[in-house]
Amino acid sequence: MSRLDNLHQQLVALLGEQARITVAYDEITLEVSADVWESTCLRLRDEPSLRFESCIDLCGVDFSTYGVGKVGEASQSAVVPSGRFAVVAHLLSLTHNARMRVRTFAANSDFPVVDSLVNVWPSVNWFEREAFDLFGIVFEGHPDLRRILTDYGFIGHPFRKDFPVYGNVEMRYDPEQGRVVYQPVTIDPRENIPRVIREDGYGIGR
């Protein structure tokens, strides 16, 4: 039995029907509901047969336009979103030399809230701040949930798919006021379509 098959069986034995497990590209993705997000991650960390002691990455995902424009049927390994906003954590077991991905979807797409994992893996502190900053996902129980990449006067969350390309405001230094000021965006929205010109028969016989 391969290490991947063994991990899959251990997850099924531990979590049963509580979890949705996908195996694709030699990777395991475990999806759980938001109400058991923290408790499941605690079990993944503490269960002797798993021992995922380290969370090496955590990010947000916006699935709002997922599948739009796809041709043909979706792959069996494709994600079927349970909501708009997801939180994805990548875990590492140093004890068993294993990796896996665990994911949950916020129940409310208008105001996404997910339990913080800081008490499970302290390393996610800044990762959760980044997901809050860029996607607007609120992590319940986080000790210091502030923006981390954009400035404090920034409006909106730039990794959301409905965020305008040019943003909502622009920042500049005002020499008369002697400080940084915010003002409405002055860039005119435009769409650039590249023009490609090729001679007849391009690529034939080459």
Side-chain angles (χ1 to χ4, degrees):
M1 180 183 296
S2 69
R3 181 180 301 168
L4 195 67
D5 292 334
N6 185 47
L7 176 57
H8 184 273
Q9 288 191 2
Q10 288 171 344
L11 290 171
V12 171
L14 177 67
L15 302 171
E17 297 181 357
Q18 180 184 20
R20 174 183 171 190
I21 302 170
T22 304
V23 180
Y25 307 108
D26 294 327
E27 296 179 339
I28 284 186
T29 300
L30 167 68
E31 183 179 320
V32 297
S33 61
D35 58 335
V36 294
W37 173 242
E38 184 180 10
S39 61
T40 300
C41 289
L42 274 169
R43 296 180 74 184
L44 295 175
R45 185 195 69 182
D46 296 338
E47 178 66 28
S49 62
L50 298 173
R51 293 295 293 155
F52 285 97
E53 307 100 329
S54 178
C55 179
I56 59 177
D57 187 32
L58 181 144
C59 64
V61 183
D62 182 356
F63 281 95
S64 61
T65 58
Y66 178 81
V68 175
K70 273 192 173 181
V71 178
E73 295 183 0
S75 166
Q76 291 182 351
S77 63
V79 176
V80 179
S82 303
R84 176 178 177 182
F85 294 104
V87 176
V88 182
H90 295 264
L91 310 183
L92 171 65
S93 171
L94 298 171
T95 301
H96 302 293
N97 189 24
R99 295 172 184 266
M100 68 172 292
R101 181 188 299 112
V102 57
R103 175 177 62 228
T104 192
F105 283 85
N108 187 338
S109 296
D110 295 325
F111 185 66
V113 179
V114 173
D115 287 337
S116 173
L117 298 180
V118 168
N119 292 328
V120 183
W121 298 289
S123 61
V124 304
N125 189 315
W126 283 14
F127 293 144
E128 290 184 344
R129 285 181 59 186
E130 181 182 63
F132 163 71
D133 191 357
L134 301 180
F135 291 94
I137 300 171
V138 175
F139 291 89
E140 189 76 33
H142 192 285
D144 186 23
L145 196 61
R146 293 177 292 137
R147 290 188 181 272
I148 192 171
L149 295 177
T150 62
D151 61 280
Y152 297 136
F154 194 87
I155 295 176
H157 304 281
F159 276 20
R160 289 189 173 190
K161 291 183 179 178
D162 55 3
F163 187 81
V165 173
Y166 297 102
N168 296 303
V169 297
E170 63 184 26
M171 178 179 63
R172 67 176 178 84
Y173 179 77
D174 189 322
E176 294 182 359
Q177 300 185 49
R179 64 182 180 86
V180 171
V181 297
Y182 295 89
Q183 64 186 37
V185 176
T186 57
I187 301 174
D188 294 327
R190 62 185 184 277
E191 184 175 346
N192 292 329
I193 301 176
R195 185 182 179 193
V196 179
I197 301 175
R198 292 184 176 138
E199 67 274 15
D200 293 338
Y202 176 85
I204 298 177
R206 296 185 182 180

